[in-house]
């Protein structure tokens, strides 16, 4: 059996290696390392793939969130609602811009932001909602957009984990994750579903005015060279990363499909194991399985993790601590019963495009062995 990895980028890249090597060498030979055709072509190709009007590439997924919130011109003290169960970047950027992150609890089945909790969190200072499409499926964007419309709030979708996921509206139409709200953001961190070989990110919008502003903000607020109309930042995707992403983008559907196949195999192998709850699929979204996150209900999650690690099976906890219990974002005024519980019982199993059946069978056999010995 091949060694099991949490994310196997080496094998994924090996299959494209000659193309990747050539494109990197081409960029090196061109000496256009910043901006240039590779970046603009990647932006156009990704916009076409996601069926969104504008894609603005930037330096990483955290910057993408920052640029998005800067473009909305929120004022210090304005409140932005987001999930308590997410990667820190989401809340970090809100706080960094001197806005107030208002954290809300999640649905314990889908792990997505709970819309009832969103409504309860809306107050006179609320200006925006940042839903996170956690682990690879969309939260209920139709319901969320209705709430946003009613209360005149902006919506910025954090799509770092769900690029290419489809959201299904009740009228039968569908849209890609990140293209439904005012702005969507994503990350091309190497282990994300579409990863480059360093840092990278992008912003999506169908709004021409916001697109223009986002481009300016990403480039020192510049309207033309050396004319700065807005306070901006320097956030760009390198040409080499754009060129790599242009090679990988045509494989995105296949990458999603491979993850979905691996998820279906886990589901099947684990279906008779009462100690493990497999990830619940939303009826409103496809699932692109950035992570395959189970709930460990039949034993101690930490003990299972240690056991699997001892059997050379990597696995990880996303996320061990709710944001409201992090020192930087402490909020003990409210309780978050679902987030609290999830942080104790979730476990992410190896998930990537290169898993094979033998590896998955071994992983599940060891999980079952452990749970049997514990009970
Ligand atoms: C990865 C991630 C980010 C940040 O992306 P970087 O490119 O690492 O800055 C933001 N939000 C979520 C939900 C993520 O998973």
């Amino acid at each position: 059996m091949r060694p099991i990895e949490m994310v196997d980028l080496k094998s994924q890249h090996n299959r494209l290696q000659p193309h990747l090597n050539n494109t990197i060498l081409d960029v090196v030979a061109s000496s256009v390392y910043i901006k240039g055709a590779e970046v603009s072509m990647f932006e156009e190709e990704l916009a076409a793939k996601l069926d969104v009007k504008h894609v603005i590439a930037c330096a990483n997924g955290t910057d993408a969130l920052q640029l998005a919130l800067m473009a909305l011109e929120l004022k210090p003290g304005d409140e932005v609602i987001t999930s308590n169960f997410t990667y820190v970047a989401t809340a970090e950027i809100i706080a960094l811009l001197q806005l107030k992150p208002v954290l809300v609890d999640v649905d314990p089945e889908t792990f997505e932001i709970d819309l009832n909790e969103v409504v309860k969190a809306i107050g006179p200072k609320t200006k925006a909602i940042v839903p996170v499409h956690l682990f690879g499926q969309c939260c209920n964007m139709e319901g969320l957009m209705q709430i946003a419309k009613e209360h005149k709030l902006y919506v910025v979708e954090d799509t770092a984990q769900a690029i290419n996921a489809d959201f299904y509206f009740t009228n039968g139409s569908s849209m890609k994750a990140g293209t439904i709200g005012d702005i969507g953001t994503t990350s091309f961190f190497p282990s994300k579903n579409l990863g480059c070989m360093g840092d990278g990110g992008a912003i999506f919008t169908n709004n021409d005015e916001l697109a223009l502003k986002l481009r300016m903000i990403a480039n020192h607020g510049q309207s033309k060279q050396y004319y700065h109309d807005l306070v901006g930042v320097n956030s760009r995707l390198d040409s080499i990363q754009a060129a790599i992403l242009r090679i990988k983008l045509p494989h995105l559907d296949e990458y999603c499909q491979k993850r979905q196949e691996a998820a279906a195999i886990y589901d099947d192998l684990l279906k008779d194991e009462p100690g493990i709850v497999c990830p619940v699929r939303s009826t409103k979204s496809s699932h692109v399985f950035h992570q395959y996150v189970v709930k460990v209900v039949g034993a101690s999650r930490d003990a299972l993790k240690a056991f699997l690690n001892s059997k050379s099976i990597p696995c990880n906890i996303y996320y061990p601590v709710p944001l409201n219990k992090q020192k930087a974002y402490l909020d003990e005024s409210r309780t978050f019963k679902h987030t609290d519980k999830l942080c104790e019982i979730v476990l992410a199993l190896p998930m990537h495009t290169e898993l094979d059946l033998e590896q998955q069978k071994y992983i599940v056999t060891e999980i079952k062995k452990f749970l049997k010995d514990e009970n």
Side-chain angles (χ1 to χ4, degrees), residues 60-62 65 86-87 89-90 132 158 160-161 187 189 192 200 319:
N60 57 64
T62 308
L65 285 162
T86 176
Y87 183 57
T90 327
V132 182
D158 183 343
Q161 301 189 3
S187 163
F189 186 79
K192 299 279 154 97
Y319 296 93

Side-chain angles (χ1 to χ4, degrees), residues 74-80 94-95 97-102 124-127:
L74 308 185
K75 305 268 173 321
D78 285 348
E79 293 181 6
V80 179
I94 298 170
L97 295 174
Q98 293 187 298
L99 309 170
K100 182 167 184 257
V102 176
K125 288 187 174 171
T126 310
K127 290 289 151 53

